Amino acid sequence: MGSVVENLAEVRTRIVVAATRSGREPETVQLVAVSKHQPVEAIRQAMEAGQMLFGENYLQEAQEKIGQLGARGGWHCIGHVQSNKARLAAELFQCVETVDRVKLAAALDKRLTELGRRMDVLVQVNVGGEAQKSGVNPQEAAALCEALQQFPMLRLRGLMTMPPWQEDPEASRPYFRQLRLLAEKLAAAGLLGQHGPVMLSMGMSADFEVAIEEGATLVRVGTALFGERL
Ligand SMILES: *Cc1c(COP(=O)(O)O)cnc(C)c1O
């Protein structure tokens, strides 16, 4: 594996190729560099190479890193957020991609109201219906999106998913497609799309190109950029 800077250049190229191949503008796909369990120095190198958007899973870890590196990049929360940590999440992140219940949304909105700041959120959908994964079931997504409209500080931008892990990236395709079709349905019902183009966060190191072919606008890539996690 190359250096962070080399990996970043390679992943960016692969994003452009996958977008172009599927008839999409490469700028419509944003790279979220997943930096959980990666050293601050590696993140700094990525920042110096122009990467501004990062994803973190754990609140405490994110707090330490953002403290050291500054909020100048965008930081997305891509891990499960306990409701009692919602205040901290509201303070740290530009976007929480993992909203999966009203209680969490209410707690975020409350803190954001105190801060006088709005935040982008995505609804996490458990497309594989896996018991151990967070996210709403696809059938519950409309009700949650509807409920989120009551929170003035939350801008609901789209959906996020993490399909069941499988060796073959092609095996993720039906799940990515399912998320896109669900988003189209929700947009047609007026539940998504009020705050600009609908965002779809899907695809990781092993399958981000397939996700882009299926409409991803955010790909969350960790190990392909930074190597194995500590
Ligand atoms: C860790 C993580 C990723 C990145 O996974 P890689 O396989 O290292 O690219 C993406 N999304 C979520 C939600 C994660 O927890």
Side-chain angles (χ1 to χ4, degrees), residues 118 120-121 145-146 148-150 154-158 183 186-199:
R118 303 188 82 201
D120 287 344
V121 295
C145 289
E146 171 114 57
L148 293 190
Q149 317 286 329
Q150 69 185 290
L154 303 184
R155 280 186 305 251
L156 174 58
R157 303 297 304 268
L186 295 171
L191 295 170
L192 282 182
Q194 300 99 318
H195 303 287
V198 174
M199 293 181 177

mmCIF file with all atom_site columns, all heavy atoms in Angstrom, residues 118 120-121 145-146 148-150 154-158 183 186-199:
data_model
loop_
_atom_site.group_PDB
_atom_site.id
_atom_site.type_symbol
_atom_site.label_atom_id
_atom_site.label_alt_id
_atom_site.label_comp_id
_atom_site.label_asym_id
_atom_site.label_entity_id
_atom_site.label_seq_id
_atom_site.pdbx_PDB_ins_code
_atom_site.Cartn_x
_atom_site.Cartn_y
_atom_site.Cartn_z
_atom_site.occupancy
_atom_site.B_iso_or_equiv
_atom_site.pdbx_formal_charge
_atom_site.auth_seq_id
_atom_site.auth_comp_id
_atom_site.auth_asym_id
_atom_site.auth_atom_id
_atom_site.pdbx_PDB_model_num
ATOM 1   N N   . ARG A 1 118 ? -27.769 25.251 12.437 1.00 0.00 ? 118 ARG A N   1
ATOM 2   C CA  . ARG A 1 118 ? -28.473 24.148 11.791 1.00 0.00 ? 118 ARG A CA  1
ATOM 3   C C   . ARG A 1 118 ? -27.469 23.073 11.386 1.00 0.00 ? 118 ARG A C   1
ATOM 4   O O   . ARG A 1 118 ? -26.276 23.334 11.287 1.00 0.00 ? 118 ARG A O   1
ATOM 5   C CB  . ARG A 1 118 ? -29.263 24.636 10.577 1.00 0.00 ? 118 ARG A CB  1
ATOM 6   C CG  . ARG A 1 118 ? -30.251 25.743 10.935 1.00 0.00 ? 118 ARG A CG  1
ATOM 7   C CD  . ARG A 1 118 ? -31.152 26.089 9.768  1.00 0.00 ? 118 ARG A CD  1
ATOM 8   N NE  . ARG A 1 118 ? -32.255 25.152 9.677  1.00 0.00 ? 118 ARG A NE  1
ATOM 9   C CZ  . ARG A 1 118 ? -32.968 24.950 8.565  1.00 0.00 ? 118 ARG A CZ  1
ATOM 10  N NH1 . ARG A 1 118 ? -32.655 25.582 7.453  1.00 0.00 ? 118 ARG A NH1 1
ATOM 11  N NH2 . ARG A 1 118 ? -33.959 24.110 8.566  1.00 0.00 ? 118 ARG A NH2 1
ATOM 12  N N   . ASP A 1 120 ? -26.892 19.330 8.894  1.00 0.00 ? 120 ASP A N   1
ATOM 13  C CA  . ASP A 1 120 ? -27.376 18.343 7.937  1.00 0.00 ? 120 ASP A CA  1
ATOM 14  C C   . ASP A 1 120 ? -27.477 16.985 8.622  1.00 0.00 ? 120 ASP A C   1
ATOM 15  O O   . ASP A 1 120 ? -26.607 16.627 9.422  1.00 0.00 ? 120 ASP A O   1
ATOM 16  C CB  . ASP A 1 120 ? -26.396 18.212 6.763  1.00 0.00 ? 120 ASP A CB  1
ATOM 17  C CG  . ASP A 1 120 ? -26.433 19.408 5.831  1.00 0.00 ? 120 ASP A CG  1
ATOM 18  O OD1 . ASP A 1 120 ? -27.398 20.200 5.900  1.00 0.00 ? 120 ASP A OD1 1
ATOM 19  O OD2 . ASP A 1 120 ? -25.488 19.561 5.028  1.00 0.00 ? 120 ASP A OD2 1
ATOM 20  N N   . VAL A 1 121 ? -28.515 16.257 8.315  1.00 0.00 ? 121 VAL A N   1
ATOM 21  C CA  . VAL A 1 121 ? -28.625 14.889 8.821  1.00 0.00 ? 121 VAL A CA  1
ATOM 22  C C   . VAL A 1 121 ? -29.053 13.961 7.689  1.00 0.00 ? 121 VAL A C   1
ATOM 23  O O   . VAL A 1 121 ? -29.698 14.378 6.719  1.00 0.00 ? 121 VAL A O   1
ATOM 24  C CB  . VAL A 1 121 ? -29.624 14.751 9.998  1.00 0.00 ? 121 VAL A CB  1
ATOM 25  C CG1 . VAL A 1 121 ? -29.152 15.517 11.223 1.00 0.00 ? 121 VAL A CG1 1
ATOM 26  C CG2 . VAL A 1 121 ? -31.035 15.170 9.601  1.00 0.00 ? 121 VAL A CG2 1
ATOM 27  N N   . CYS A 1 145 ? -38.627 10.082 8.322  1.00 0.00 ? 145 CYS A N   1
ATOM 28  C CA  . CYS A 1 145 ? -38.386 11.316 7.539  1.00 0.00 ? 145 CYS A CA  1
ATOM 29  C C   . CYS A 1 145 ? -39.494 12.335 7.809  1.00 0.00 ? 145 CYS A C   1
ATOM 30  O O   . CYS A 1 145 ? -39.229 13.528 7.954  1.00 0.00 ? 145 CYS A O   1
ATOM 31  C CB  . CYS A 1 145 ? -38.329 11.000 6.042  1.00 0.00 ? 145 CYS A CB  1
ATOM 32  S SG  . CYS A 1 145 ? -36.845 10.099 5.562  1.00 0.00 ? 145 CYS A SG  1
ATOM 33  N N   . GLU A 1 146 ? -40.704 11.848 7.883  1.00 0.00 ? 146 GLU A N   1
ATOM 34  C CA  . GLU A 1 146 ? -41.840 12.722 8.171  1.00 0.00 ? 146 GLU A CA  1
ATOM 35  C C   . GLU A 1 146 ? -41.684 13.361 9.550  1.00 0.00 ? 146 GLU A C   1
ATOM 36  O O   . GLU A 1 146 ? -41.856 14.569 9.720  1.00 0.00 ? 146 GLU A O   1
ATOM 37  C CB  . GLU A 1 146 ? -43.129 11.879 8.108  1.00 0.00 ? 146 GLU A CB  1
ATOM 38  C CG  . GLU A 1 146 ? -44.362 12.585 8.586  1.00 0.00 ? 146 GLU A CG  1
ATOM 39  C CD  . GLU A 1 146 ? -45.345 12.808 7.453  1.00 0.00 ? 146 GLU A CD  1
ATOM 40  O OE1 . GLU A 1 146 ? -45.732 11.801 6.839  1.00 0.00 ? 146 GLU A OE1 1
ATOM 41  O OE2 . GLU A 1 146 ? -45.692 13.968 7.207  1.00 0.00 ? 146 GLU A OE2 1
ATOM 42  N N   . LEU A 1 148 ? -39.022 13.918 11.167 1.00 0.00 ? 148 LEU A N   1
ATOM 43  C CA  . LEU A 1 148 ? -37.879 14.839 11.245 1.00 0.00 ? 148 LEU A CA  1
ATOM 44  C C   . LEU A 1 148 ? -38.239 16.254 10.785 1.00 0.00 ? 148 LEU A C   1
ATOM 45  O O   . LEU A 1 148 ? -37.530 17.207 11.098 1.00 0.00 ? 148 LEU A O   1
ATOM 46  C CB  . LEU A 1 148 ? -36.699 14.309 10.416 1.00 0.00 ? 148 LEU A CB  1
ATOM 47  C CG  . LEU A 1 148 ? -36.042 13.024 10.915 1.00 0.00 ? 148 LEU A CG  1
ATOM 48  C CD1 . LEU A 1 148 ? -34.742 12.746 10.171 1.00 0.00 ? 148 LEU A CD1 1
ATOM 49  C CD2 . LEU A 1 148 ? -35.761 13.085 12.401 1.00 0.00 ? 148 LEU A CD2 1
ATOM 50  N N   . GLN A 1 149 ? -39.330 16.368 10.019 1.00 0.00 ? 149 GLN A N   1
ATOM 51  C CA  . GLN A 1 149 ? -39.707 17.695 9.510  1.00 0.00 ? 149 GLN A CA  1
ATOM 52  C C   . GLN A 1 149 ? -40.055 18.656 10.651 1.00 0.00 ? 149 GLN A C   1
ATOM 53  O O   . GLN A 1 149 ? -40.033 19.864 10.481 1.00 0.00 ? 149 GLN A O   1
ATOM 54  C CB  . GLN A 1 149 ? -40.902 17.616 8.538  1.00 0.00 ? 149 GLN A CB  1
ATOM 55  C CG  . GLN A 1 149 ? -40.865 16.476 7.525  1.00 0.00 ? 149 GLN A CG  1
ATOM 56  C CD  . GLN A 1 149 ? -39.870 16.677 6.375  1.00 0.00 ? 149 GLN A CD  1
ATOM 57  O OE1 . GLN A 1 149 ? -39.602 17.791 5.972  1.00 0.00 ? 149 GLN A OE1 1
ATOM 58  N NE2 . GLN A 1 149 ? -39.333 15.567 5.871  1.00 0.00 ? 149 GLN A NE2 1
ATOM 59  N N   . GLN A 1 150 ? -40.368 18.112 11.835 1.00 0.00 ? 150 GLN A N   1
ATOM 60  C CA  . GLN A 1 150 ? -40.765 18.978 12.953 1.00 0.00 ? 150 GLN A CA  1
ATOM 61  C C   . GLN A 1 150 ? -39.579 19.653 13.638 1.00 0.00 ? 150 GLN A C   1
ATOM 62  O O   . GLN A 1 150 ? -39.777 20.486 14.510 1.00 0.00 ? 150 GLN A O   1
ATOM 63  C CB  . GLN A 1 150 ? -41.556 18.161 13.985 1.00 0.00 ? 150 GLN A CB  1
ATOM 64  C CG  . GLN A 1 150 ? -40.673 17.149 14.716 1.00 0.00 ? 150 GLN A CG  1
ATOM 65  C CD  . GLN A 1 150 ? -41.405 16.235 15.661 1.00 0.00 ? 150 GLN A CD  1
ATOM 66  O OE1 . GLN A 1 150 ? -41.874 16.671 16.699 1.00 0.00 ? 150 GLN A OE1 1
ATOM 67  N NE2 . GLN A 1 150 ? -41.525 14.972 15.274 1.00 0.00 ? 150 GLN A NE2 1
ATOM 68  N N   . LEU A 1 154 ? -32.685 20.791 12.005 1.00 0.00 ? 154 LEU A N   1
ATOM 69  C CA  . LEU A 1 154 ? -32.173 19.656 11.236 1.00 0.00 ? 154 LEU A CA  1
ATOM 70  C C   . LEU A 1 154 ? -32.569 19.795 9.777  1.00 0.00 ? 154 LEU A C   1
ATOM 71  O O   . LEU A 1 154 ? -33.745 19.949 9.456  1.00 0.00 ? 154 LEU A O   1
ATOM 72  C CB  . LEU A 1 154 ? -32.724 18.338 11.792 1.00 0.00 ? 154 LEU A CB  1
ATOM 73  C CG  . LEU A 1 154 ? -32.459 18.046 13.268 1.00 0.00 ? 154 LEU A CG  1
ATOM 74  C CD1 . LEU A 1 154 ? -32.978 16.656 13.628 1.00 0.00 ? 154 LEU A CD1 1
ATOM 75  C CD2 . LEU A 1 154 ? -30.981 18.166 13.609 1.00 0.00 ? 154 LEU A CD2 1
ATOM 76  N N   . ARG A 1 155 ? -31.566 19.753 8.905  1.00 0.00 ? 155 ARG A N   1
ATOM 77  C CA  . ARG A 1 155 ? -31.839 19.725 7.462  1.00 0.00 ? 155 ARG A CA  1
ATOM 78  C C   . ARG A 1 155 ? -31.679 18.283 6.996  1.00 0.00 ? 155 ARG A C   1
ATOM 79  O O   . ARG A 1 155 ? -30.553 17.795 6.886  1.00 0.00 ? 155 ARG A O   1
ATOM 80  C CB  . ARG A 1 155 ? -30.844 20.607 6.701  1.00 0.00 ? 155 ARG A CB  1
ATOM 81  C CG  . ARG A 1 155 ? -31.160 22.095 6.719  1.00 0.00 ? 155 ARG A CG  1
ATOM 82  C CD  . ARG A 1 155 ? -30.191 22.831 5.801  1.00 0.00 ? 155 ARG A CD  1
ATOM 83  N NE  . ARG A 1 155 ? -28.820 22.522 6.178  1.00 0.00 ? 155 ARG A NE  1
ATOM 84  C CZ  . ARG A 1 155 ? -27.991 23.373 6.755  1.00 0.00 ? 155 ARG A CZ  1
ATOM 85  N NH1 . ARG A 1 155 ? -28.369 24.606 6.981  1.00 0.00 ? 155 ARG A NH1 1
ATOM 86  N NH2 . ARG A 1 155 ? -26.780 23.002 7.090  1.00 0.00 ? 155 ARG A NH2 1
ATOM 87  N N   . LEU A 1 156 ? -32.789 17.653 6.731  1.00 0.00 ? 156 LEU A N   1
ATOM 88  C CA  . LEU A 1 156 ? -32.730 16.260 6.273  1.00 0.00 ? 156 LEU A CA  1
ATOM 89  C C   . LEU A 1 156 ? -32.293 16.235 4.814  1.00 0.00 ? 156 LEU A C   1
ATOM 90  O O   . LEU A 1 156 ? -32.989 16.732 3.936  1.00 0.00 ? 156 LEU A O   1
ATOM 91  C CB  . LEU A 1 156 ? -34.110 15.605 6.437  1.00 0.00 ? 156 LEU A CB  1
ATOM 92  C CG  . LEU A 1 156 ? -34.256 14.200 5.870  1.00 0.00 ? 156 LEU A CG  1
ATOM 93  C CD1 . LEU A 1 156 ? -33.255 13.241 6.498  1.00 0.00 ? 156 LEU A CD1 1
ATOM 94  C CD2 . LEU A 1 156 ? -35.678 13.704 6.080  1.00 0.00 ? 156 LEU A CD2 1
ATOM 95  N N   . ARG A 1 157 ? -31.099 15.672 4.574  1.00 0.00 ? 157 ARG A N   1
ATOM 96  C CA  . ARG A 1 157 ? -30.520 15.725 3.236  1.00 0.00 ? 157 ARG A CA  1
ATOM 97  C C   . ARG A 1 157 ? -30.642 14.436 2.448  1.00 0.00 ? 157 ARG A C   1
ATOM 98  O O   . ARG A 1 157 ? -30.496 14.435 1.232  1.00 0.00 ? 157 ARG A O   1
ATOM 99  C CB  . ARG A 1 157 ? -29.027 16.101 3.315  1.00 0.00 ? 157 ARG A CB  1
ATOM 100 C CG  . ARG A 1 157 ? -28.726 17.412 4.028  1.00 0.00 ? 157 ARG A CG  1
ATOM 101 C CD  . ARG A 1 157 ? -29.334 18.613 3.322  1.00 0.00 ? 157 ARG A CD  1
ATOM 102 N NE  . ARG A 1 157 ? -28.941 18.732 1.939  1.00 0.00 ? 157 ARG A NE  1
ATOM 103 C CZ  . ARG A 1 157 ? -27.898 19.423 1.492  1.00 0.00 ? 157 ARG A CZ  1
ATOM 104 N NH1 . ARG A 1 157 ? -27.118 20.042 2.333  1.00 0.00 ? 157 ARG A NH1 1
ATOM 105 N NH2 . ARG A 1 157 ? -27.645 19.492 0.200  1.00 0.00 ? 157 ARG A NH2 1
ATOM 106 N N   . GLY A 1 158 ? -30.820 13.298 3.127  1.00 0.00 ? 158 GLY A N   1
ATOM 107 C CA  . GLY A 1 158 ? -30.867 12.052 2.364  1.00 0.00 ? 158 GLY A CA  1
ATOM 108 C C   . GLY A 1 158 ? -30.759 10.831 3.252  1.00 0.00 ? 158 GLY A C   1
ATOM 109 O O   . GLY A 1 158 ? -31.115 10.877 4.428  1.00 0.00 ? 158 GLY A O   1
ATOM 110 N N   . ALA A 1 183 ? -34.996 6.363  -1.717 1.00 0.00 ? 183 ALA A N   1
ATOM 111 C CA  . ALA A 1 183 ? -34.823 7.818  -1.681 1.00 0.00 ? 183 ALA A CA  1
ATOM 112 C C   . ALA A 1 183 ? -35.697 8.491  -2.747 1.00 0.00 ? 183 ALA A C   1
ATOM 113 O O   . ALA A 1 183 ? -36.299 9.540  -2.505 1.00 0.00 ? 183 ALA A O   1
ATOM 114 C CB  . ALA A 1 183 ? -33.358 8.187  -1.879 1.00 0.00 ? 183 ALA A CB  1
ATOM 115 N N   . LEU A 1 186 ? -39.216 8.537  -1.476 1.00 0.00 ? 186 LEU A N   1
ATOM 116 C CA  . LEU A 1 186 ? -39.404 9.522  -0.405 1.00 0.00 ? 186 LEU A CA  1
ATOM 117 C C   . LEU A 1 186 ? -39.396 10.943 -0.978 1.00 0.00 ? 186 LEU A C   1
ATOM 118 O O   . LEU A 1 186 ? -40.160 11.803 -0.536 1.00 0.00 ? 186 LEU A O   1
ATOM 119 C CB  . LEU A 1 186 ? -38.306 9.368  0.660  1.00 0.00 ? 186 LEU A CB  1
ATOM 120 C CG  . LEU A 1 186 ? -38.319 8.039  1.426  1.00 0.00 ? 186 LEU A CG  1
ATOM 121 C CD1 . LEU A 1 186 ? -37.074 7.895  2.296  1.00 0.00 ? 186 LEU A CD1 1
ATOM 122 C CD2 . LEU A 1 186 ? -39.572 7.904  2.278  1.00 0.00 ? 186 LEU A CD2 1
ATOM 123 N N   . ALA A 1 187 ? -38.545 11.166 -1.976 1.00 0.00 ? 187 ALA A N   1
ATOM 124 C CA  . ALA A 1 187 ? -38.509 12.494 -2.605 1.00 0.00 ? 187 ALA A CA  1
ATOM 125 C C   . ALA A 1 187 ? -39.815 12.769 -3.334 1.00 0.00 ? 187 ALA A C   1
ATOM 126 O O   . ALA A 1 187 ? -40.364 13.874 -3.252 1.00 0.00 ? 187 ALA A O   1
ATOM 127 C CB  . ALA A 1 187 ? -37.318 12.582 -3.556 1.00 0.00 ? 187 ALA A CB  1
ATOM 128 N N   . ALA A 1 188 ? -40.335 11.743 -4.004 1.00 0.00 ? 188 ALA A N   1
ATOM 129 C CA  . ALA A 1 188 ? -41.607 11.914 -4.723 1.00 0.00 ? 188 ALA A CA  1
ATOM 130 C C   . ALA A 1 188 ? -42.750 12.213 -3.752 1.00 0.00 ? 188 ALA A C   1
ATOM 131 O O   . ALA A 1 188 ? -43.703 12.912 -4.094 1.00 0.00 ? 188 ALA A O   1
ATOM 132 C CB  . ALA A 1 188 ? -41.914 10.654 -5.543 1.00 0.00 ? 188 ALA A CB  1
ATOM 133 N N   . ALA A 1 189 ? -42.622 11.705 -2.526 1.00 0.00 ? 189 ALA A N   1
ATOM 134 C CA  . ALA A 1 189 ? -43.648 11.955 -1.508 1.00 0.00 ? 189 ALA A CA  1
ATOM 135 C C   . ALA A 1 189 ? -43.409 13.272 -0.771 1.00 0.00 ? 189 ALA A C   1
ATOM 136 O O   . ALA A 1 189 ? -44.116 13.599 0.180  1.00 0.00 ? 189 ALA A O   1
ATOM 137 C CB  . ALA A 1 189 ? -43.664 10.787 -0.511 1.00 0.00 ? 189 ALA A CB  1
ATOM 138 N N   . GLY A 1 190 ? -42.382 14.020 -1.200 1.00 0.00 ? 190 GLY A N   1
ATOM 139 C CA  . GLY A 1 190 ? -42.104 15.313 -0.591 1.00 0.00 ? 190 GLY A CA  1
ATOM 140 C C   . GLY A 1 190 ? -41.379 15.223 0.741  1.00 0.00 ? 190 GLY A C   1
ATOM 141 O O   . GLY A 1 190 ? -41.314 16.194 1.495  1.00 0.00 ? 190 GLY A O   1
ATOM 142 N N   . LEU A 1 191 ? -40.811 14.057 1.055  1.00 0.00 ? 191 LEU A N   1
ATOM 143 C CA  . LEU A 1 191 ? -40.154 13.876 2.357  1.00 0.00 ? 191 LEU A CA  1
ATOM 144 C C   . LEU A 1 191 ? -38.643 14.095 2.284  1.00 0.00 ? 191 LEU A C   1
ATOM 145 O O   . LEU A 1 191 ? -37.973 14.208 3.306  1.00 0.00 ? 191 LEU A O   1
ATOM 146 C CB  . LEU A 1 191 ? -40.438 12.474 2.898  1.00 0.00 ? 191 LEU A CB  1
ATOM 147 C CG  . LEU A 1 191 ? -41.910 12.197 3.218  1.00 0.00 ? 191 LEU A CG  1
ATOM 148 C CD1 . LEU A 1 191 ? -42.141 10.731 3.522  1.00 0.00 ? 191 LEU A CD1 1
ATOM 149 C CD2 . LEU A 1 191 ? -42.364 13.069 4.384  1.00 0.00 ? 191 LEU A CD2 1
ATOM 150 N N   . LEU A 1 192 ? -38.088 14.138 1.088  1.00 0.00 ? 192 LEU A N   1
ATOM 151 C CA  . LEU A 1 192 ? -36.659 14.398 0.892  1.00 0.00 ? 192 LEU A CA  1
ATOM 152 C C   . LEU A 1 192 ? -36.511 15.393 -0.243 1.00 0.00 ? 192 LEU A C   1
ATOM 153 O O   . LEU A 1 192 ? -37.364 15.455 -1.123 1.00 0.00 ? 192 LEU A O   1
ATOM 154 C CB  . LEU A 1 192 ? -35.911 13.120 0.470  1.00 0.00 ? 192 LEU A CB  1
ATOM 155 C CG  . LEU A 1 192 ? -35.551 12.056 1.498  1.00 0.00 ? 192 LEU A CG  1
ATOM 156 C CD1 . LEU A 1 192 ? -34.770 10.936 0.800  1.00 0.00 ? 192 LEU A CD1 1
ATOM 157 C CD2 . LEU A 1 192 ? -34.736 12.634 2.630  1.00 0.00 ? 192 LEU A CD2 1
ATOM 158 N N   . GLY A 1 193 ? -35.388 16.119 -0.231 1.00 0.00 ? 193 GLY A N   1
ATOM 159 C CA  . GLY A 1 193 ? -35.089 16.986 -1.376 1.00 0.00 ? 193 GLY A CA  1
ATOM 160 C C   . GLY A 1 193 ? -35.427 18.447 -1.173 1.00 0.00 ? 193 GLY A C   1
ATOM 161 O O   . GLY A 1 193 ? -35.221 19.257 -2.069 1.00 0.00 ? 193 GLY A O   1
ATOM 162 N N   . GLN A 1 194 ? -35.915 18.814 0.025  1.00 0.00 ? 194 GLN A N   1
ATOM 163 C CA  . GLN A 1 194 ? -36.239 20.231 0.263  1.00 0.00 ? 194 GLN A CA  1
ATOM 164 C C   . GLN A 1 194 ? -34.985 21.083 0.435  1.00 0.00 ? 194 GLN A C   1
ATOM 165 O O   . GLN A 1 194 ? -35.059 22.310 0.387  1.00 0.00 ? 194 GLN A O   1
ATOM 166 C CB  . GLN A 1 194 ? -37.098 20.407 1.535  1.00 0.00 ? 194 GLN A CB  1
ATOM 167 C CG  . GLN A 1 194 ? -38.413 19.685 1.520  1.00 0.00 ? 194 GLN A CG  1
ATOM 168 C CD  . GLN A 1 194 ? -38.318 18.372 2.301  1.00 0.00 ? 194 GLN A CD  1
ATOM 169 O OE1 . GLN A 1 194 ? -37.347 17.657 2.187  1.00 0.00 ? 194 GLN A OE1 1
ATOM 170 N NE2 . GLN A 1 194 ? -39.342 18.083 3.067  1.00 0.00 ? 194 GLN A NE2 1
ATOM 171 N N   . HIS A 1 195 ? -33.862 20.440 0.714  1.00 0.00 ? 195 HIS A N   1
ATOM 172 C CA  . HIS A 1 195 ? -32.635 21.195 1.002  1.00 0.00 ? 195 HIS A CA  1
ATOM 173 C C   . HIS A 1 195 ? -31.563 20.920 -0.039 1.00 0.00 ? 195 HIS A C   1
ATOM 174 O O   . HIS A 1 195 ? -30.394 20.752 0.283  1.00 0.00 ? 195 HIS A O   1
ATOM 175 C CB  . HIS A 1 195 ? -32.129 20.855 2.397  1.00 0.00 ? 195 HIS A CB  1
ATOM 176 C CG  . HIS A 1 195 ? -33.126 21.095 3.486  1.00 0.00 ? 195 HIS A CG  1
ATOM 177 N ND1 . HIS A 1 195 ? -33.477 22.357 3.913  1.00 0.00 ? 195 HIS A ND1 1
ATOM 178 C CD2 . HIS A 1 195 ? -33.895 20.243 4.197  1.00 0.00 ? 195 HIS A CD2 1
ATOM 179 C CE1 . HIS A 1 195 ? -34.392 22.264 4.856  1.00 0.00 ? 195 HIS A CE1 1
ATOM 180 N NE2 . HIS A 1 195 ? -34.665 20.987 5.048  1.00 0.00 ? 195 HIS A NE2 1
ATOM 181 N N   . GLY A 1 196 ? -31.971 20.828 -1.292 1.00 0.00 ? 196 GLY A N   1
ATOM 182 C CA  . GLY A 1 196 ? -30.990 20.567 -2.340 1.00 0.00 ? 196 GLY A CA  1
ATOM 183 C C   . GLY A 1 196 ? -31.043 19.118 -2.779 1.00 0.00 ? 196 GLY A C   1
ATOM 184 O O   . GLY A 1 196 ? -31.852 18.341 -2.281 1.00 0.00 ? 196 GLY A O   1
ATOM 185 N N   . PRO A 1 197 ? -30.139 18.758 -3.703 1.00 0.00 ? 197 PRO A N   1
ATOM 186 C CA  . PRO A 1 197 ? -30.136 17.404 -4.251 1.00 0.00 ? 197 PRO A CA  1
ATOM 187 C C   . PRO A 1 197 ? -30.054 16.357 -3.135 1.00 0.00 ? 197 PRO A C   1
ATOM 188 O O   . PRO A 1 197 ? -29.359 16.555 -2.150 1.00 0.00 ? 197 PRO A O   1
ATOM 189 C CB  . PRO A 1 197 ? -28.864 17.368 -5.104 1.00 0.00 ? 197 PRO A CB  1
ATOM 190 C CG  . PRO A 1 197 ? -28.500 18.783 -5.350 1.00 0.00 ? 197 PRO A CG  1
ATOM 191 C CD  . PRO A 1 197 ? -29.072 19.602 -4.240 1.00 0.00 ? 197 PRO A CD  1
ATOM 192 N N   . VAL A 1 198 ? -30.779 15.279 -3.304 1.00 0.00 ? 198 VAL A N   1
ATOM 193 C CA  . VAL A 1 198 ? -30.824 14.232 -2.287 1.00 0.00 ? 198 VAL A CA  1
ATOM 194 C C   . VAL A 1 198 ? -29.455 13.546 -2.178 1.00 0.00 ? 198 VAL A C   1
ATOM 195 O O   . VAL A 1 198 ? -28.839 13.196 -3.186 1.00 0.00 ? 198 VAL A O   1
ATOM 196 C CB  . VAL A 1 198 ? -31.919 13.202 -2.636 1.00 0.00 ? 198 VAL A CB  1
ATOM 197 C CG1 . VAL A 1 198 ? -31.880 12.018 -1.674 1.00 0.00 ? 198 VAL A CG1 1
ATOM 198 C CG2 . VAL A 1 198 ? -33.293 13.869 -2.617 1.00 0.00 ? 198 VAL A CG2 1
ATOM 199 N N   . MET A 1 199 ? -28.996 13.364 -0.966 1.00 0.00 ? 199 MET A N   1
ATOM 200 C CA  . MET A 1 199 ? -27.709 12.711 -0.728 1.00 0.00 ? 199 MET A CA  1
ATOM 201 C C   . MET A 1 199 ? -27.905 11.234 -0.421 1.00 0.00 ? 199 MET A C   1
ATOM 202 O O   . MET A 1 199 ? -28.814 10.859 0.316  1.00 0.00 ? 199 MET A O   1
ATOM 203 C CB  . MET A 1 199 ? -27.001 13.358 0.460  1.00 0.00 ? 199 MET A CB  1
ATOM 204 C CG  . MET A 1 199 ? -26.567 14.786 0.220  1.00 0.00 ? 199 MET A CG  1
ATOM 205 S SD  . MET A 1 199 ? -25.720 15.420 1.697  1.00 0.00 ? 199 MET A SD  1
ATOM 206 C CE  . MET A 1 199 ? -25.267 17.041 1.100  1.00 0.00 ? 199 MET A CE  1
#
